[in-house]
Amino acid sequence: MDEIKWGLIWPLLVLQAVLAIIGLISLAKAERTRGPKWLWVIILIFGNLLGSVAYFTIGRKES
Amino acid sequence: MRKVWTLYHKEMLEALRSYKLIWVPVVFMILGIMQPLTTYYMPEILKASGNVPPGMLEGYEMPGAAVVMAQTLGQYGTIGMLILVLGVMNSLAGERSGGTIEMLMVKPVAPAAIVSAKWAAQLTTLIVALGLGVAGAAYYTEQLMGPLSWGRLCAGAGLYGLWLLCAVSLTLLFSAWLRGPAAAFLGLGSAAAMSLAHSLLPSQLGWTPAALTAQSAAIITEGRGGTWGPACSAGVLIVVCLAAASLLIRRNKLPD
Amino acid sequence: MPLLQVANLRKVYGEHTSVDGISFDIEAGKCVALLGPNGAGKTTTLRMLAGLLQPSSGLISFDGGSGVDYRSLLGYLPQSPAFYSWMSGQEYVVFAAKLCGISSSEAGRLAADALEHVGLKDVSRRKIAGYSGGMKQRLGLAQALVHRPRLLLLDEPVSALDPIGRREVMELLRGIREETTIIFSTHVLHDAEEICDDIILMNHGLIAEQGTLSRLRSQYSLPVIRLSTGMDEKALGWLQDLAHRSFVEQSVIYSGSATLNVSDMELARRTILQEAASLDISLLQFEAGSSTLEDLFMKVVGA
């Protein structure tokens, strides 16, 4: 196996970052969330894919 | 027709403002490119994790490009379907419990227009997400494993998308009747039940929508199409879901 | 011909009859109050008129035709209007106009007019999520008015508002009633008296009384005597006894107070005062006057 192809890995990291950033923007604008906001900040930053998906699907509350 | 367009426009605006039109495709792209990447680096990952019995890695054979693509679509069948179903569960249920649908129903708008606009918006999200996800996965697979037949890939992705659309349409129907979480549960449950029934009786139920996933994999890996049965039954199922949802909306227009 | 004709309208939910066969006509250009206590069937009636509920039986004819879809000629504001909070006020009113079949460019113009009319022009680009209760109610009026409907149905338009919001909406309605026909429901007589021509008084799913405000006023200004006495047994017995005199048509007696509808005011006054004096009953209060709509309302509601 040749060395790790970073050229193929960094787009994945960029997409993960985009997801977390959109989540944070949405969180900043949201008026109400399920559970405390600071918890969602941690989940969005450290929770990777599943953390972001969890925020977008169950984290927000419709006003 | 113009009213359907107005309602569709409103749905898409909501999808955009809630970032759904961005995050769902991004998740599909991540899922899509993760599959070829983890397959390619599987030996490294196993080695790094340490406790691999010696000799096991010798037997590891890199799967072909087509097989990896079929596996990627399998990802969309689980996590992808979950995301899509959770995204549609409140589309009618939320408007019913929140009372916004009452404001629509006093306007000269047919329930079928409301339902089909919502369905079309979900279809748009699905097409964008699946299209970008499959394109990303295909690019990575070609880079890492080898060339793909794009014609077969498109046909296979289309069939898989139709299966996902069945689950979305079922959830939309339940959303016209139940609360959001119950609708999602029943939507996923009925898709799972169809899959299970098909895996138990593959020859008898080869015409059902659940056969679409196997058909999709077969087209991508072997180029073998099979019958139109699953696609036709999926079409019928979707139309029935939309018609039934419209009837439900017409009947219990409001929570008494 | 009346704009709206309702005949024998009924709505039954299982065992419970919500609206029990009501009939009324509404002339174009009128402002009609559907007045009654909570649970009288006002909201159910309005929802049937708006096409949100299928009547169990009965006929609704709009402009002479029954069974036709007249929703494009209708504006409806529910008791607590719900909006898409992620939209701006302007977007919502344009959306409402387009759903009535109005073209995009026309919808934008009409929406701007409607928003200006209800005084939301300055905040029309803000998200509805940030609107106050009064602003939402006015937005509800704007979406009901934007397509220039011929009939406006408003369900308790001011009940949930604070006094300032209430005043704003009442002032708006006073203007709107010059342009279109309005039916609005309320449980407050004062709101009805303030802007309406006609009143339909509902209770327990039935129409208790209906007519023009002026007719009801004169019809129900009956001679009435209100008196209260001490709480001793002799006085209470006398009050009970009074209710059976020939000049008393109707009486309400409750712990030392009596309200008597009388046929002959002179006779009644003389009799009561003389008896009170001769029996040595301590009259705490004595008032001879005429009943008001409030009394009618209380009689219908309270009984």
Side-chain angles (χ1 to χ4, degrees):
Chain A
M1 179 135 335
D2 32 17
E3 84 270 30
I4 291 173
K5 296 179 176 174
W6 288 109
L8 289 180
I9 294 194
W10 69 258
L12 186 65
L13 302 176
V14 168
L15 285 173
Q16 294 269 18
V18 166
L19 200 59
I21 289 167
I22 299 168
L24 289 172
I25 293 173
S26 156
L27 185 64
K29 285 189 183 174
E31 288 195 4
R32 291 188 302 162
T33 53
R34 256 181 210 103
K37 275 200 178 189
W38 59 265
L39 188 65
W40 284 115
V41 173
I42 293 172
I43 291 173
L44 279 168
I45 293 175
F46 299 105
N48 282 337
L49 183 63
L50 285 182
S52 305
V53 169
Y55 168 71
F56 282 116
T57 48
I58 59 167
R60 294 177 293 183
K61 246 187 208 168
E62 288 297 313
S63 51
Chain B
M1 212 48 215
R2 206 167 66 194
K3 288 174 190 172
V4 178
W5 176 251
T6 301
L7 289 161
Y8 173 77
H9 181 81
K10 170 230 147 196
E11 294 294 328
M12 293 315 291
L13 195 64
E14 180 173 20
L16 208 59
R17 295 222 173 131
S18 67
Y19 303 101
K20 186 181 163 195
L21 211 51
I22 306 171
W23 77 262
V24 173
V26 169
V27 170
F28 269 63
M29 283 169 79
I30 292 174
L31 287 175
I33 66 181
M34 278 233 283
Q35 187 67 25
L37 270 179
T38 48
T39 308
Y40 185 76
Y41 287 112
M42 190 51 84
E44 313 284 320
I45 295 167
L46 289 176
K47 238 185 280 172
S49 74
N51 43 12
V52 189
M56 191 188 143
L57 288 177
E58 266 91 279
Y60 186 80
E61 210 177 298
M62 192 65 69
V67 173
V68 172
M69 279 315 296
Q71 288 170 346
T72 307
L73 287 175
Q75 290 284 320
Y76 295 145
T78 51
I79 307 177
M81 184 186 281
L82 180 70
I83 289 171
L84 290 171
V85 163
L86 291 179
V88 71
M89 68 179 186
N90 273 322
S91 66
L92 282 166
E95 292 223 25
R96 287 190 306 127
S97 64
T100 46
I101 202 154
E102 198 182 319
M103 311 281 280
L104 293 183
M105 298 301 294
V106 291
K107 302 278 186 264
V109 177
I114 298 173
V115 170
S116 45
K118 287 196 177 284
W119 180 81
Q122 299 298 328
L123 176 60
T124 311
T125 310
L126 194 160
I127 289 174
V128 171
L130 193 64
L132 288 174
V134 168
Y139 175 77
Y140 270 67
T141 306
E142 289 212 316
Q143 295 293 308
L144 294 169
M145 278 89 183
L148 280 165
S149 157
W150 283 74
R152 290 178 184 182
L153 183 60
C154 289
L159 289 178
Y160 215 101
L162 194 57
W163 167 240
L164 294 177
L165 191 60
C166 285
V168 166
S169 307
L170 279 165
T171 312
L172 189 68
L173 166 61
F174 293 126
S175 178
W177 171 39
L178 301 162
R179 295 166 65 84
F185 182 78
L186 276 184
L188 289 171
S190 45
M194 280 197 288
S195 286
L196 183 69
H198 174 251
S199 63
L200 290 177
L201 301 165
S203 48
Q204 284 93 332
L205 297 178
W207 54 273
T208 58
L212 284 168
T213 55
Q215 207 178 22
S216 153
I219 285 191
I220 293 172
T221 53
E222 299 156 34
R224 181 169 52 76
T227 65
W228 284 100
C232 291
S233 62
V236 170
L237 176 70
I238 290 167
V239 170
V240 168
C241 282
L242 295 187
S246 307
L247 281 177
L248 281 170
I249 291 293
R250 186 193 300 276
R251 224 185 49 191
N252 63 7
K253 287 165 184 171
L254 56 127
D256 286 323
Chain C
M1 178 190 298
L3 180 66
L4 185 76
Q5 286 174 292
V6 173
N8 275 316
L9 197 62
R10 270 169 69 87
K11 182 69 190 177
V12 183
Y13 296 108
E15 294 283 287
H16 175 70
T17 303
S18 181
V19 173
D20 195 6
I22 60 171
S23 304
F24 56 87
D25 290 355
I26 286 173
E27 300 287 337
K30 293 280 186 196
C31 175
V32 180
L34 206 53
L35 183 65
N38 294 328
K42 306 185 300 279
T43 296
T44 309
T45 304
L46 284 179
R47 279 182 158 164
M48 285 192 280
L49 294 183
L52 283 171
L53 270 181
Q54 190 67 36
S56 302
S57 64
L59 214 61
I60 300 171
S61 339
F62 188 87
D63 212 9
S66 66
V68 291
D69 186 358
Y70 54 85
R71 285 181 299 177
S72 55
L73 304 171
L74 202 70
Y76 174 71
L77 175 63
Q79 199 158 356
S80 41
F83 302 100
Y84 305 107
S85 55
W86 50 269
M87 274 191 184
S88 71
Q90 191 247 354
E91 282 168 337
Y92 190 84
V93 180
V94 170
F95 173 65
K98 283 188 189 170
L99 287 184
C100 294
I102 295 167
S103 70
S104 291
S105 52
E106 181 80 354
R109 205 175 53 74
L110 286 174
D113 284 356
L115 284 161
E116 176 153 24
H117 192 159
V118 301
L120 288 177
K121 193 181 167 199
D122 297 336
V123 293
S124 65
R125 306 218 168 253
R126 290 219 318 245
K127 293 276 182 294
I128 299 174
Y131 279 21
S132 69
M135 285 157 83
K136 279 187 185 163
Q137 208 69 20
R138 282 184 283 152
L139 181 63
L141 273 176
Q143 66 82 30
L145 282 171
V146 65
H147 54 295
R148 308 256 155 92
R150 295 188 54 199
L151 177 63
L152 200 55
L153 302 173
L154 312 170
D155 194 359
E156 300 272 3
V158 295
S159 306
L161 299 179
D162 60 25
I164 296 169
R166 190 190 154 279
R167 175 91 346 253
E168 286 170 353
V169 171
M170 288 307 271
E171 287 306 319
L172 270 174
L173 290 182
R174 208 188 295 280
I176 292 165
R177 62 155 295 175
E178 302 298 322
E179 294 156 29
T180 186
T181 313
I182 301 180
I183 305 178
F184 82 96
S185 73
T186 176
H187 60 267
V188 182
L189 174 68
H190 183 70
D191 292 343
E193 284 185 296
E194 204 170 317
I195 55 171
C196 284
D197 312 299
D198 293 11
I199 284 182
I200 297 173
L201 187 52
M202 278 186 82
N203 199 27
H204 300 307
L206 291 163
I207 293 181
E209 185 58 81
Q210 61 175 317
T212 63
L213 204 53
S214 51
R215 182 181 75 78
L216 291 179
R217 270 209 190 97
S218 61
Q219 185 174 338
Y220 283 92
S221 59
L222 297 173
V224 66
I225 289 177
R226 293 185 191 83
L227 70 162
S228 55
T229 63
M231 293 296 283
D232 53 302
E233 216 162 288
K234 186 173 67 175
L236 294 180
W238 176 68
L239 277 184
Q240 291 294 339
D241 187 46
L242 271 185
H244 302 296
R245 302 299 162 86
S246 59
F247 52 79
V248 174
E249 291 187 324
Q250 239 178 346
S251 62
V252 180
I253 297 174
Y254 178 73
S255 77
S257 305
T259 304
L260 308 171
N261 288 358
V262 297
S263 50
D264 185 338
M265 177 61 90
E266 254 332 288
L267 176 66
R269 178 160 54 196
R270 207 172 330 116
T271 314
I272 289 170
L273 290 176
Q274 277 171 1
E275 282 188 19
S278 60
L279 294 169
D280 191 23
I281 285 170
S282 58
L283 271 185
L284 301 178
Q285 188 202 352
F286 181 90
E287 181 191 343
S290 59
S291 67
T292 61
L293 279 181
E294 191 79 36
D295 295 327
L296 168 68
F297 184 58
M298 290 316 291
K299 200 158 73 191
V300 168
V301 169

